[in-house]
Every structure is written in structure tokens, then in C-alpha cells.
Amino acid sequence: MTSDTATFEQRVLFLDRHDKLNVLRGIQHGIEREGLRVSADGSLSQASHPAALGSALTHACITTDFSESLLEFITPPDISVKTTLGQLSDIHTHVYLQIDEEEIWPLSMPCFVGDEDDIVLAHYGTSNVGKMKHVYRVGLKNRYGSMMQAISGVHFNFSLPSSFWPVWCEMHDQEVSQDVISDSYFALIRNYRRMCWIIPYLYGASPAICSSFLHGRTSSYEFKTLGKGTSYLPYATSLRMSDLGYTNSDQSSLDICYNSLHSYVKSVRQAIQTPSDQYADIPAGENGHYQQLNANVLQIENELYSPIRPKQIAQSGEKPTDALSSRGVEYIEVRALDLDPYSTIGVNETQVYFLDVFLMYCLLKPSAPMSQAEYKQTEDNLTAVVLRGREPELTLAMDEQSMTLTDWAHAMFTQMSPIAQVLDKANGTTHYSAALAFELQKIDDPDLTPSGKMLNTMMANDEDNSYFGKRLAKQHKQQLLARDYVHYTQADFDTMRLSSLSQQSEIEAQDTVDFATYLQTYFNYQYADAMES
């Protein structure tokens, strides 16, 4: 059986063999949850990142994203779903013990923001790396506006254990190598791009936004109004994933290729190194004045907005593409998830089990190279679902044909069912099949989706999303403060805080060059590897 002839069914059956099942026990997960700090009245916090939480630059599990008020909680990779979610709950509980009267906004789209300048950009100290992180955010503000950067989401990290790859290569008559592993992850990524419309349908939770989010912005969408200041689209699932949110139209011309590690790295680096006429007038170090890191299409690789990314753990000062080209793909990062407003931690257990099944489906399903025309088709399908996903009889494009969302989803769930059964057998559980059955109900009844539930509740109460969000935020805070730590202790968090402050001080003391020289070195340095020859 070769990689060209192994069918989906053959791959599933091969893994279902008793002597192969154990390799499916070591799938690792990590979660990064973002959330805005808000005052009790639901307004955006103007306070700096709390000192009691340590250094946002170096803390092991608590940092900030775009703004001082946008928290980000990070769990280490672990094979246990319960452990990962328990650690995330502990982090939330600890943070709530430190932020007094403030709450964490439970929705992906921000609460009321009177002015973009109310969003205080994140600071990371006086080191060159800290300054770079801050200036990058200044550049984002100048390029896209602060409102877009105040949006919150969940990033889901997924990796297969090292023991999996010999079995995978045996299945395809290949020798184990990092190149094969990277190629396999990119095959997964291509299939994810083809089918990731299912993610906002199942988990999109931003069908409505505060009208303040639209101030000063043009939109072709025919919004309806609700309450005193909420704008919504009747069938939307995830406005966060629309061009009002993270999916930015300014990047639509980028020709990012996911057919191989080499083509991906090359296309991303090209975007980083290509000057942009659009951003040429924004100061980028002239006379020491930094309003962006540079005037290129992308300042750095993180500026590329994508619903999924290949990842490799970067060393200090190492660019993500350098890490990838040097050591290959270590894990993938799913970035299409809205916050679950009904969960105290923004994500739920059933969701994680489903994502395991779906990502294994993306890996096991044969994945041909993707043309730019097909890539455009996947983008169009994703846009259709984020704006109209619950619309009856919505059709999506599949190759040269069209298919209703419901029919395509049912076909996917049918193929995912044996994968869930294999994962259940390998792990001695029924969680995977149960998760699949639970999510299938949403396909047949759109009112069961988070977006449907949210909008129906707000319309029944004629209430703004701000009232909806404030009510849930208070409930979440009460529940998180009423629980005890399970995986961490207060002493653990105290140690992490002190360690982070010490690490930041060390980094600041070790700087030996000025900021301009640091940036020049960062952007000029390249690994001397065969991919660039």
C-alpha cells in the first residue's frame, strides 16, 4: 500500500488493528483562550495588566494579546482532555482572584467600546523583544484599527505522538522522516481548509455585535437591529470570522500555498519581505519613530490571518518560518473557534473530543495538492457559512458541483463515525462517538448551534448582546470563584509570577544593542538550510 493508493477506508482499518491502536492514545492538546477584562458595567477595562499576574512577556500561562485588557490563557500540551480543561479552569480561577471587581467578557466580539483609543495597547517592558511586541501592535492598530484586534477567540493546538508516525509510514511503505511528518500535517491542513466551514457552523457564537463596533466602518451587510444597540445578521454564525473580524480583506491577495512545507514557508516569507504601497506612509523607524515594524505586506508572520497554522516551537529570537524550515511541523494550531459563551472557560469537553475526530478525519482522508482556484473556493464556502450558515438549504461549492450544507455535513459525519469508534476503542471510552452524536444534532437543527441559541435568547428577551454577555460574565465569575484548584496550587501561581518577573528583568539586562539594530538583525537573519538554496 503506497501513499498514492491508500484509501480513506484502508487507513481507518489499518489503525483499527489491535496492534496499532495504542498509537492513538498519545494525541496531545493545548488551548489558548483569549478574553477581555471588563468592568462590572460591561465596559472595557482601562487598567493595566494586573501586577499580581506577573510579566505578560514571560509568564508560563498568562499573557496579553493586542491590548492590556485582552488576556490570553495558555495550557501546556497534554494527552488528557480533562487535565487540559482543568488546568484552564485553574488559570481562570486564579485570575479572578486577582482582578477584584472586573470580569472576563464571555463573547468573542467585544463589549461596548466608545472610542478606539479606549483600547490601550499591550506593553511588555523595556527590552528589545518587548518593544518589538508593542510596536507590532501599534502597526496592527495603524493598519487595521484597534476594534478588529479587540476580538477574542480560542486557539486549539493538536499533535500526534511520535509513536504514531512509524505506523503511519508502515501503512504507506515509507521511511519515517521529518519531511514525511511535515507533508502529512500539510495534507491535514489542506483538508481542514476544504472542510473548515463546519467549525463556525458548529461553534460560531458571534451572530450579533455591538453597533459601536461598526462606527467609522463601511459594510455591505444588511444588518438588522436588536435592543438599543445590537446589530445582527439573521443566519450568521461567526461575524468574528467575517471580514469585519479576523478574516481581513487586505490580505486576500496573498498567495499562500499549503501544498508543502517549502511552498508555505516561501510564500509567507515573500509576504513578509514584499514592500506595501498601502503602508508606505506609516513611519517604520524613520528618525527613531516607530508606528509599525516595517512597511511590508506583513510586518511579521503572526500577522497572517488564517483559520489554521502549521507550528514548530521557536527558540529565543527565532522566526516561526525559520523554526519550521529548520525542524519541520511539530503541531497544528486551529484558529477558527469563537469563545463558547456557555462555558466558564470559553471551550467545552465535547468540543475537544469532536475536534480530535475531525482533525484525524482531515489526516486520514486523501488530500490532493490545492490549486489557487480551489483555495478561493474554500474561502468562499467559509464566508458563506460565517454570514449565512443557518440559512435553510444553504449550498456550498464542492469541486465543480454544489451541495447543501446539510447533505455535505451528513456525509462528513458518516465518514467520521468509524474514526470516532477507533479512537474510543484505543482510549477505552465512548467520548468520541458521543461527541459526534451530540454535534450531529446541530446539523439537523440549527437552533441548537451556539449562534442560534444566542440569537433566539436575545430576540426573545429583546436584549442587547451587552446584557446577554454581562449576565453570563457574572455567572462565570461566581462559578469560577466557588471552585477549588485541581491541577495547580496558589503556590504554583506565585512561583510562576515571581519567575516571570525575574525572567523579564534578565532579558532587559541582557540587551546589548539599540532597538533599530535589534530589528535589523532579526529581519536579516536566516537559517542556512537546504530549503533556501
Side-chain angles (χ1 to χ4, degrees):
M1 190 190 309
T2 69
S3 58
D4 293 329
T5 61
T7 66
F8 169 75
E9 291 79 9
Q10 287 173 321
R11 290 172 174 177
V12 175
L13 286 172
F14 192 85
L15 289 176
D16 194 25
R17 285 171 40 180
H18 176 72
D19 61 329
K20 309 301 180 188
L21 279 173
N22 65 315
V23 303
L24 295 175
R25 296 174 188 155
I27 295 173
Q28 288 195 313
H29 322 86
I31 292 176
E32 304 165 27
R33 181 260 162 101
E34 300 163 343
L36 285 167
R37 284 186 294 114
V38 298
S39 302
D41 64 358
S43 61
L44 192 65
S45 172
Q46 299 298 297
S48 298
H49 185 64
L53 297 180
S55 166
L57 179 67
T58 54
H59 198 286
C61 59
I62 304 168
T63 183
T64 53
D65 196 275
F66 176 74
S67 67
E68 285 288 275
S69 59
L70 184 52
L71 293 164
E72 183 173 348
F73 305 151
I74 304 165
T75 69
D78 200 282
I79 63 173
S80 167
V81 174
K82 290 186 181 297
T83 296
T84 293
L85 297 182
Q87 289 173 329
L88 189 58
S89 295
D90 283 356
I91 297 168
H92 279 73
T93 295
H94 170 66
V95 168
Y96 264 123
L97 289 168
Q98 314 305 320
I99 61 175
D100 299 325
E101 300 302 316
E102 292 183 338
E103 295 165 350
I104 300 171
W105 191 242
L107 309 182
S108 279
M109 300 305 283
C111 49
F112 176 80
V113 181
D115 188 275
E116 285 208 348
D117 290 334
D118 291 343
I119 302 173
V120 181
L121 303 191
H123 287 268
Y124 299 94
T126 61
S127 66
N128 283 326
V129 66
K131 290 177 184 176
M132 181 176 174
K133 289 171 71 73
H134 176 72
V135 172
Y136 168 59
R137 285 154 175 76
V138 174
L140 293 177
K141 176 182 179 180
N142 289 326
R143 290 174 175 221
Y144 311 114
S146 293
M147 284 291 201
M148 171 182 165
Q149 306 300 326
I151 298 170
S152 305
V154 171
H155 298 166
F156 178 76
N157 300 323
F158 172 94
S159 66
L160 289 152
S162 58
S163 61
F164 173 84
W165 297 111
V167 172
W168 179 257
C169 290
E170 178 188 346
M171 192 190 316
H172 299 99
D173 296 328
Q174 295 173 311
E175 294 294 325
V176 179
S177 70
Q178 185 57 55
D179 286 345
V180 170
I181 294 172
S182 294
D183 286 344
S184 301
Y185 274 124
F186 269 93
L188 181 161
I189 288 170
R190 290 193 298 277
N191 274 338
Y192 177 90
R193 299 283 320 206
R194 292 176 174 115
M195 299 180 288
C196 71
W197 54 263
I198 196 73
I199 300 298
Y201 180 84
L202 294 175
Y203 303 119
S206 49
I209 57 178
C210 178
S211 297
S212 67
F213 190 82
L214 298 172
H215 289 169
R217 308 181 71 175
T218 58
S219 172
S220 60
Y221 305 141
E222 296 182 3
F223 281 105
K224 297 182 180 297
T225 58
L226 180 65
K228 295 181 180 178
T230 293
S231 298
Y232 73 97
L233 296 178
Y235 300 112
T237 61
S238 176
L239 293 176
R240 166 185 171 271
M241 290 294 294
S242 74
D243 59 9
L244 288 172
Y246 278 139
T247 306
N248 194 277
S249 58
D250 294 330
Q251 296 186 13
S252 59
S253 62
L254 295 181
D255 187 13
I256 305 300
C257 181
Y258 294 89
N259 288 334
S260 69
L261 175 59
H262 174 67
S263 64
Y264 175 79
V265 168
K266 182 179 179 181
S267 57
V268 172
R269 285 179 174 171
Q270 183 175 358
I272 297 168
Q273 297 165 358
T274 301
S276 168
D277 293 338
Q278 186 176 0
Y279 307 133
D281 294 334
I282 302 174
E286 295 81 3
N287 298 317
H289 187 39
Y290 287 94
Q291 289 293 307
Q292 60 179 350
L293 290 173
N294 54 58
N296 296 335
V297 176
L298 300 178
Q299 298 174 90
I300 58 175
E301 293 153 41
N302 288 348
E303 193 172 336
L304 176 65
Y305 298 103
S306 173
I308 191 169
R309 283 179 183 167
K311 301 282 282 190
Q312 171 59 253
I313 299 170
Q315 299 169 357
S316 178
E318 186 179 35
K319 292 187 288 297
T321 55
D322 287 343
L324 282 170
S325 63
S326 177
R327 298 183 297 284
V329 182
E330 176 73 18
Y331 65 98
I332 58 106
E333 179 187 49
V334 171
R335 300 168 54 82
L337 296 166
D338 283 4
L339 295 177
D340 177 0
Y342 300 102
S343 165
T344 58
I345 57 176
V347 61
N348 67 76
E349 184 176 299
T350 299
Q351 187 176 20
V352 176
Y353 284 115
F354 174 82
L355 288 170
D356 275 358
V357 177
F358 178 63
L359 292 172
M360 285 301 299
Y361 175 54
C362 291
L363 176 67
L364 294 171
K365 189 177 178 66
S367 179
M370 181 177 287
S371 67
Q372 281 302 305
E374 186 183 7
Y375 177 83
K376 174 66 165 53
Q377 186 180 83
T378 69
E379 293 282 274
D380 291 344
N381 283 342
L382 184 60
T383 298
V385 174
V386 301
L387 297 177
R388 300 185 291 118
R390 289 176 291 106
E391 181 180 286
E393 299 301 311
L394 175 68
T395 59
L396 304 175
M398 179 191 283
D399 299 324
E400 302 297 322
Q401 302 176 332
S402 63
M403 181 179 288
T404 66
L405 180 152
T406 302
D407 287 345
W408 192 348
H410 273 284
M412 288 168 56
F413 273 74
T414 297
Q415 287 197 308
M416 283 190 285
S417 180
I419 299 174
Q421 293 170 23
V422 171
L423 287 169
D424 280 334
K425 189 188 299 185
N427 292 279
T429 184
T430 58
H431 292 318
Y432 299 94
S433 294
L436 208 61
F438 180 84
E439 301 301 345
L440 181 60
Q441 297 177 77
K442 299 178 184 177
I443 304 302
D444 296 319
D445 186 355
D447 285 342
L448 296 177
T449 63
S451 59
K453 289 169 63 178
M454 286 176 61
L455 204 52
N456 287 339
T457 298
M458 288 189 285
M459 293 181 72
N461 298 332
D462 191 27
E463 68 177 350
D464 292 309
N465 61 338
S466 60
Y467 290 103
F468 178 80
K470 283 190 291 185
R471 185 171 65 251
L472 288 177
K474 293 184 187 304
Q475 293 174 8
H476 294 175
K477 181 174 184 176
Q478 291 171 358
Q479 293 171 26
L480 287 161
L481 286 175
R483 66 183 293 278
D484 295 323
Y485 292 133
V486 176
H487 295 281
Y488 295 115
T489 65
Q490 187 57 51
D492 291 331
F493 286 114
D494 290 342
T495 298
M496 282 188 270
R497 177 180 64 85
L498 293 173
S499 176
S500 72
L501 294 171
S502 176
Q503 289 177 53
Q504 178 174 330
S505 296
E506 290 177 11
I507 292 170
E508 291 172 347
Q510 290 170 359
D511 277 344
T512 58
V513 298
D514 61 35
F515 185 53
T517 304
Y518 173 83
L519 286 185
Q520 183 179 18
T521 302
Y522 179 87
F523 286 116
N524 286 342
Y525 186 76
Q526 296 288 340
Y527 275 101
D529 62 70
M531 291 184 63
E532 293 301 298
S533 62

